[in-house]
Amino acid sequence: MLLSEIGDKEIVDLSKGSLHGKLWDAEMLFDERTGVIHSLLVPDFQSQSGIRMKGDLQLPWNSIIVVGEDLIIFKS
């Protein structure tokens, strides 16, 4: 599968049922020597007093359960 094929997939946390944007919104942390992906930095939207604030959630690569047709599902 090419990156261009998975970039539009929504990232969903199975444990919380929360959306974290699309893969295009994420950053990949990987070992530059081996190319092994360690984790993704994905947007973490939290609502406080009606205001949406954006932070980053570090998602270990091994926490991804499924890369489906429209979604990437992980368990936090």
Side-chain angles (χ1 to χ4, degrees):
M1 183 178 291
L2 300 172
L3 179 59
S4 60
E5 295 173 327
I6 63 172
D8 260 352
K9 295 181 188 292
E10 290 283 345
I11 300 171
V12 178
D13 184 344
L14 181 65
S15 299
K16 299 176 184 175
S18 55
L19 290 173
H20 292 276
K22 297 188 179 208
L23 187 62
W24 291 128
D25 300 329
E27 305 259 348
M28 286 189 191
L29 300 176
F30 62 94
D31 185 316
E32 292 180 19
R33 290 185 295 113
T34 64
V36 173
I37 300 170
H38 295 291
S39 61
L40 297 175
L41 288 177
V42 295
D44 185 21
F45 295 101
Q46 298 176 354
S47 179
Q48 295 176 345
S49 305
I51 299 172
R52 291 182 67 119
M53 299 182 68
K54 182 180 175 183
D56 288 326
L57 173 68
Q58 188 163 348
L59 166 64
W61 189 252
N62 62 1
S63 68
I64 295 175
I65 298 171
V66 163
V67 177
E69 190 171 320
D70 297 319
L71 301 172
I72 297 173
I73 300 173
F74 73 97
K75 189 169 183 180
S76 60

